[in-house]
Amino acid sequence: MNYLKLELTSFIENKEASTLKNNTFNQEKADDILSTFPINDEEKLLALESKLTTYDPGYNDKLVSAFMFASEGKSISKVTNSLLRTIFTDTFASDYSWKGQKEKKKLENYKIFKVIINCVGKKFPNSENYKMDVIASVMNWFAQAPTRILRDEKGIKNLKKRICQQDNHRHLKMMIIHYNSYNIIFYYITIILFPGKSN
């Protein structure tokens, strides 16, 4: 009985160690595949499209697996937005729209979005309309890129302002400390030089 118990314990421990090793490998593999992202210019987008077409027949599957590993969210829109944040910068996104509206560059025919749709479909296998939901999320995310840029710039500006205020506050405190120190020193010098006037 003890022998069987030891064998079972050893099997479970080996299984857990194997699972942990696989998870670590997946993380490392995902980081390696995603190291070229985010895309911040058209040259990188075209290079990715070429890679998806000719570079490696299995690259699409690898990319889907990496995206699934890195994506976050419990709804189609949140997962899609998470993927888009991983793949594109807001600056890049501000020059594009799904159909090329408002004189922007057109996204609709790029293969990377088929990869995104495939990834989301695997995460939500019971959703019948996931393709349309993904496209709607993509359209909205790209349309909101200029707003996010302005918000981030405003946030950075406010942060710099707070830092400046804190620096000024620290500077003022130091001035007060120095002023008080000078007053104390002056007071004791007065006592030493003019002991009769200290009262």
Side-chain angles (χ1 to χ4, degrees):
M1 179 65 79
N2 289 335
Y3 174 77
L4 290 174
K5 186 176 180 180
L6 287 172
E7 285 293 311
L8 180 60
T9 301
S10 177
F11 173 78
I12 293 172
E13 289 176 349
N14 289 336
K15 189 72 174 176
E16 289 176 347
S18 177
T19 301
L20 180 61
K21 184 178 180 180
N22 288 336
N23 287 340
T24 303
F25 172 76
N26 287 337
Q27 178 69 63
E28 292 174 355
K29 192 172 183 179
D31 289 344
D32 181 58
I33 293 171
L34 298 177
S35 62
T36 56
F37 296 95
I39 293 170
N40 56 9
D41 58 43
E42 189 173 16
E43 183 178 349
K44 288 185 178 180
L45 176 61
L46 295 177
L48 174 62
E49 289 294 299
S50 176
K51 206 171 182 180
L52 290 171
T53 305
T54 60
Y55 180 78
D56 179 358
Y59 182 69
N60 292 41
D61 293 334
K62 295 175 185 176
L63 203 54
V64 168
S65 297
F67 285 161
M68 288 183 68
F69 194 87
S71 61
E72 300 175 344
K74 294 183 179 180
S75 67
I76 289 177
S77 62
K78 288 185 181 300
V79 170
T80 304
N81 289 346
S82 172
L83 289 171
L84 293 171
R85 285 194 300 271
T86 299
I87 300 169
F88 304 104
T89 65
D90 283 332
T91 303
F92 173 86
S94 64
D95 291 330
Y96 288 79
S97 65
W98 185 250
K99 293 283 187 181
Q101 304 98 316
K102 298 181 179 179
E103 299 182 354
K104 293 187 176 184
K105 299 173 184 177
K106 187 177 179 180
L107 291 167
E108 186 178 12
N109 297 324
Y110 285 106
K111 293 178 177 61
I112 182 60
F113 294 102
K114 292 182 179 179
V115 176
I116 294 173
I117 290 171
N118 190 9
C119 175
V120 176
K122 288 181 179 294
K123 295 205 78 167
F124 298 92
N126 297 324
S127 175
E128 296 180 358
N129 299 317
Y130 72 90
K131 290 184 180 180
M132 295 305 299
D133 291 339
V134 170
I135 292 173
S137 296
V138 169
M139 293 174 70
N140 183 64
W141 190 85
F142 274 84
Q144 292 298 317
T147 302
R148 289 194 300 274
I149 292 172
L150 290 174
R151 184 183 61 206
D152 290 344
E153 289 176 349
K154 185 177 180 180
I156 293 171
K157 185 177 180 180
N158 289 337
L159 178 61
K160 289 181 177 178
K161 185 177 180 181
R162 286 198 299 270
I163 292 173
C164 184
Q165 288 173 342
Q166 290 173 356
D167 288 342
N168 290 338
H169 181 65
R170 282 195 292 268
H171 182 65
L172 180 60
K173 283 180 68 177
M174 291 302 298
M175 288 179 65
I176 293 171
I177 291 171
H178 290 157
Y179 176 77
N180 289 335
S181 298
Y182 291 145
N183 281 343
I184 292 170
I185 294 170
F186 180 76
Y187 174 74
Y188 282 109
I189 291 174
T190 302
I191 291 175
I192 294 169
L193 296 178
F194 309 100
K197 294 185 179 182
S198 61
N199 296 326

